[in-house]
Amino acid sequence: MHHFDADLPSEIDRVLRDFLHRAGEPIRRTEPTFGPAVDALSDFVLGGGKRLRPTFAWWGWRGAGGDPDSEEAEGVLRAVASLELIQACALVHDDVIDSSDSRRGSPTVHVAFAARHTQGRWLGSAESFGRAAAVLIGDLALAWADDMFAECGLPAPALLSARPAWRAMRTEVLAGQYLDVHTQATGDASAEAALRVDRLKTAAYTVQRPLHLGAALAGAEQPLVDALLEFGGDIGVAFQLRDDLLGVFGDPSVTGKPAGDDLREGKRTLLLALGLAYAEQQGRDGERKVIADAVGDSRLTDAEVDDVRQALVDVGAVAEVERRIEEMTAGALASLQRAALAEPAAQRLAELADRATRRTS
Amino acid sequence: MHHFDADLPSEIDRVLRDFLHRAGEPIRRTEPTFGPAVDALSDFVLGGGKRLRPTFAWWGWRGAGGDPDSEEAEGVLRAVASLELIQACALVHDDVIDSSDSRRGSPTVHVAFAARHTQGRWLGSAESFGRAAAVLIGDLALAWADDMFAECGLPAPALLSARPAWRAMRTEVLAGQYLDVHTQATGDASAEAALRVDRLKTAAYTVQRPLHLGAALAGAEQPLVDALLEFGGDIGVAFQLRDDLLGVFGDPSVTGKPAGDDLREGKRTLLLALGLAYAEQQGRDGERKVIADAVGDSRLTDAEVDDVRQALVDVGAVAEVERRIEEMTAGALASLQRAALAEPAAQRLAELADRATRRTS
């Protein structure tokens, strides 16, 4: 197997490390005070993440005929790795928006910079300083994503044909984040709203557009792109539904997150929307109340989390979400066959689909 | 005179309006909830601003031989107009960072979205919702700036040669904003810190890099670029120093801002830094205290603003800032002559320099 295929995450890390070093060098010289901000972004990007988006993009390229032994392969690695910088912007800004304290087991960027302020006994509000730094560091990630993509070294026609995917991806993730915040604010607890967020934030941004981007870089024709978009739409939503189930039912020792944390944070998922709707339809007022009261209750006990689990099982919401995951995974695999991708991409995407929708963490 | 040269701001507005319409169309269809966010960005971009950055970029292009009658002219208009979208991101995020309530006589974006929340009697904090929306709308502006630039229609080699300017500009403005926030937090009142912020936030971002970008789009050689960077560095700082003087001494009926508002907001300028340093050197403790106490005092009266003005004049800070503006303007005009730009660019840039440094509003 080609070593790019075999060890994709390390190759992604390599080109990211390289880019971050080259991008940071001139501004560190011009303005050393900005160094800690550049460090924070580098540490964030290199410090974790499953490299999911670059992986889908890479297999989109390979599936459309991209050759890992070609001259372009290194440029493609850089182009797909730049998706991690978009993701860094999304997460750093998301943490500001949600006032989250920790991410990947470390303090979030705004919390870390607030701590610098406190330690330095600086003037004004530490919280405001931390937020300002995180807004600017997220902006830097987004600007650098574009730099890394545009300067990846691929020929201009390849880059130009990937622009529609690149353009759609960034607008769609922002629309998804806005929709998410808006849905929480309006208290829209419908299954339809939850699915719309899933389609934009997870399916489009995490799977469809990366696949689209990769395939476009290889000069794929529209029918292939369409089949990949269908595959990605189904897999992306299935992935999110699995995530929702794990957020309530996951084993903390495997997921690394406290049991029921999604409930405490008030995340509006399809699982909860179905739970509420089914309880209502079945006239089970007790279950409806257990679920409704739990969402967003930051002091929810483990026993109460257990009650919510039971209610979600009893009204049939869990079974329905599992059924949809099955159905969408099957649909996705059918689209994948229709796409008639070059191997080993077809097999690797099928494996990714399987892992994403059956995972336990 | 060519109509692009004669009526640049309207041409900039035309291509911005066009881009915003085309960029907004697909996402409005996909997710109508996002419509108000797209509207807010469009209104912000089309609702005001002096088009300073596109103007400098345009004249950089013209000065390096760009022909307004050529096929490329329309693409160059789009490329330089995209700077207004970077500026929209900078301002919308700056207003979040500074918690500013109004901008260009209207509520800031975060305040306007907080008001939507309040009017809709939505759940949670209106302030948090407003901030979330403004962070995402600023991100959208930055992503769209890159889309508008990369898809302006110019040939790939021209775009590629403009990438160094494009890349530096976005990183430098973020470094300048971070340095500004950092300087306020550490209470660094030195002239050196104030000048470093001016060099990054105003000179590099507003004048040097736009000129550099325009010249690069015309395929300028390095000596010409260097001369423009020298011109832009001097004019950019001089422009900011004039702004600082107007912020304290400007006539409210002309500037549109209450007298002394820069003082109340605690803006750390070279003018104030020199005022404090000179008072100290001259042993004028009364003047030093008047200036030091005024900075950041949101309840400063008009009489107290008058005292600060008198103190800044008496210790010689105003004369020194005026002297520097003169000196830098003269230096800038010398660099401009060395650059031997194509006319009418040389004359128009000299006029811009003159207007920027002698203006009263």
Side-chain angles (χ1 to χ4, degrees):
Chain A
M1 196 191 299
H2 194 280
H3 68 281
F4 284 176
D5 289 350
D7 204 8
L8 197 51
S10 323
E11 298 294 330
I12 301 290
D13 282 1
R14 173 176 61 77
V15 295
L16 280 170
R17 182 169 293 112
D18 203 58
F19 171 82
L20 288 163
H21 179 74
R22 276 184 302 111
E25 199 53 28
I27 197 67
R28 283 178 200 275
R29 263 201 313 274
T30 308
E31 186 44 67
T33 310
F34 198 47
V38 174
D39 291 341
L41 176 57
S42 299
D43 292 350
F44 187 91
V45 170
L46 299 174
K50 297 180 197 145
R51 312 302 187 213
L52 212 53
R53 292 158 196 87
T55 299
F56 278 116
W58 176 260
W59 289 111
W61 180 70
R62 295 280 284 111
D67 175 0
D69 282 319
S70 65
E71 246 179 46
E72 278 100 67
E74 183 75 15
V76 171
L77 270 183
R78 284 192 286 258
V80 305
S82 72
L83 303 186
E84 288 292 311
L85 284 162
I86 299 181
Q87 176 66 355
C89 170
L91 296 179
V92 170
H93 283 177
D94 234 17
D95 288 339
V96 169
I97 287 170
D98 297 340
S99 300
S100 304
D101 291 337
S102 77
R103 157 86 58 191
R104 297 175 184 163
S106 298
T108 48
V109 171
H110 64 99
V111 167
F113 277 77
R116 293 179 76 90
H117 187 286
T118 306
Q119 277 153 23
R121 297 166 187 261
W122 291 345
L123 308 170
S125 149
E127 196 191 332
S128 299
F129 178 78
R131 190 157 57 215
V135 167
L136 297 172
I137 289 167
D139 290 350
L140 188 68
L142 190 54
W144 283 11
D146 275 293
D147 290 343
M148 190 175 186
F149 178 70
E151 300 172 29
C152 68
L154 288 174
L159 281 182
L160 204 61
S161 59
R163 290 283 330 170
W166 181 256
R167 189 200 317 139
M169 181 175 44
R170 287 141 55 258
T171 294
E172 283 165 357
V173 66
L174 290 167
Q177 285 180 283
Y178 181 79
L179 181 63
D180 198 5
V181 172
H182 185 270
T183 303
Q184 307 246 7
T186 55
D188 186 343
S190 69
E192 197 246 337
L195 262 179
R196 271 160 61 208
V197 173
D198 293 347
R199 284 208 191 97
L200 281 170
K201 261 184 92 163
T202 314
Y205 167 60
T206 304
V207 192
Q208 290 175 297
R209 294 308 179 185
L211 285 168
H212 182 186
L213 183 83
L217 286 174
E221 305 278 340
Q222 198 57 45
L224 175 54
V225 169
D226 288 341
L228 285 172
L229 289 176
E230 271 176 53
F231 166 78
D234 281 339
I235 278 307
V237 172
F239 176 87
Q240 186 58 53
L241 298 187
R242 175 60 62 208
D243 211 55
D244 296 347
L245 283 169
L246 288 170
V248 178
F249 291 87
D251 179 348
S253 71
V254 182
T255 62
K257 287 194 285 188
D261 239 30
D262 273 12
L263 290 172
R264 293 189 188 90
E265 286 171 11
K267 226 165 132 178
R268 297 253 164 220
T269 65
L270 183 75
L271 175 66
L272 294 175
L274 292 177
L276 289 169
Y278 289 176
E280 182 105 20
Q281 282 162 26
Q282 296 160 18
R284 299 202 192 207
D285 208 50
E287 280 82 354
R288 201 201 51 76
K289 202 168 148 22
V290 163
I291 300 169
D293 289 352
V295 180
D297 176 357
S298 58
R299 283 178 294 185
L300 207 67
T301 66
D302 285 356
E304 287 168 325
V305 172
D306 278 339
D307 291 344
V308 177
R309 289 171 173 161
Q310 195 61 53
L312 290 170
V313 171
D314 290 349
V315 301
V318 172
E320 173 60 14
V321 170
E322 289 283 8
R323 193 191 65 72
R324 291 192 187 201
I325 293 175
E326 285 292 323
E327 186 183 84
M328 282 189 276
T329 307
L333 294 175
S335 308
L336 195 57
Q337 280 199 315
R338 256 201 321 284
L341 295 183
E343 287 295 1
Q347 196 185 332
R348 292 298 287 272
L349 284 173
E351 284 165 21
L352 276 171
D354 195 66
R355 239 192 295 155
T357 55
R358 283 180 220 283
R359 75 210 149 89
T360 55
S361 72
Chain B
M1 197 190 300
H2 194 278
H3 66 284
F4 285 175
D5 289 349
D7 205 7
L8 197 50
S10 324
E11 298 295 329
I12 301 290
D13 282 1
R14 172 176 61 79
V15 295
L16 280 170
R17 181 169 293 113
D18 201 59
F19 171 83
L20 287 163
H21 178 75
R22 276 184 302 112
E25 200 53 29
I27 197 67
R28 282 177 200 274
R29 264 199 314 271
T30 309
E31 186 43 67
T33 311
F34 197 47
V38 174
D39 290 341
L41 176 56
S42 299
D43 292 349
F44 187 92
V45 170
L46 300 174
K50 297 179 195 145
R51 312 302 186 214
L52 213 52
R53 292 158 194 86
T55 299
F56 278 115
W58 175 260
W59 289 110
W61 180 70
R62 294 281 282 113
D67 174 1
D69 282 318
S70 66
E71 246 180 44
E72 277 101 67
E74 184 75 15
V76 171
L77 270 183
R78 284 192 286 259
V80 306
S82 72
L83 303 186
E84 289 290 314
L85 286 161
I86 300 181
Q87 177 66 352
C89 169
L91 295 180
V92 170
H93 283 178
D94 233 20
D95 287 339
V96 169
I97 288 171
D98 297 340
S99 300
S100 304
D101 292 336
S102 76
R103 157 86 58 193
R104 297 174 183 165
S106 298
T108 49
V109 171
H110 64 98
V111 167
F113 277 78
R116 293 179 77 89
H117 187 285
T118 305
Q119 277 153 22
R121 296 167 189 261
W122 291 345
L123 307 170
S125 149
E127 197 191 332
S128 299
F129 178 78
R131 193 158 53 216
V135 167
L136 297 172
I137 289 167
D139 289 351
L140 187 68
L142 189 54
W144 283 10
D146 275 294
D147 290 343
M148 190 176 187
F149 178 69
E151 300 171 29
C152 67
L154 288 175
L159 280 182
L160 204 63
S161 58
R163 291 283 330 168
W166 181 256
R167 187 199 318 139
M169 182 174 44
R170 285 138 61 255
T171 295
E172 284 165 356
V173 66
L174 291 166
Q177 284 180 286
Y178 180 79
L179 181 63
D180 199 6
V181 172
H182 185 270
T183 303
Q184 307 246 7
T186 56
D188 186 344
S190 68
E192 197 244 337
L195 261 179
R196 273 158 61 208
V197 173
D198 293 347
R199 283 207 191 96
L200 282 168
K201 261 185 92 163
T202 315
Y205 167 59
T206 304
V207 191
Q208 289 175 298
R209 295 308 179 187
L211 285 168
H212 182 185
L213 183 84
L217 285 174
E221 306 279 338
Q222 198 58 45
L224 175 56
V225 170
D226 289 341
L228 285 172
L229 290 175
E230 270 176 55
F231 166 78
D234 282 337
I235 278 308
V237 173
F239 177 86
Q240 186 57 55
L241 298 188
R242 174 62 58 209
D243 212 53
D244 296 348
L245 282 170
L246 288 170
V248 178
F249 291 88
D251 178 348
S253 71
V254 182
T255 64
K257 288 195 284 190
D261 238 29
D262 273 13
L263 290 171
R264 293 190 188 89
E265 284 171 12
K267 224 166 134 180
R268 297 254 165 219
T269 63
L270 182 75
L271 174 66
L272 295 175
L274 291 177
L276 290 169
Y278 289 176
E280 182 106 19
Q281 282 163 26
Q282 297 161 18
R284 298 200 193 209
D285 209 51
E287 279 82 355
R288 202 200 51 74
K289 203 167 147 28
V290 164
I291 300 168
D293 289 353
V295 180
D297 176 358
S298 59
R299 282 180 295 183
L300 207 65
T301 66
D302 284 355
E304 286 166 326
V305 172
D306 277 339
D307 292 344
V308 177
R309 288 172 174 162
Q310 194 61 53
L312 289 170
V313 170
D314 289 349
V315 301
V318 171
E320 172 60 15
V321 170
E322 289 283 8
R323 193 191 65 73
R324 290 194 187 200
I325 293 175
E326 284 291 323
E327 185 183 86
M328 283 188 277
T329 306
L333 293 175
S335 309
L336 196 58
Q337 279 199 316
R338 258 200 319 283
L341 295 183
E343 288 295 3
Q347 197 185 332
R348 292 300 284 273
L349 284 173
E351 284 165 20
L352 277 171
D354 195 66
R355 240 192 295 154
T357 55
R358 283 180 219 282
R359 75 212 149 89
T360 54
S361 71

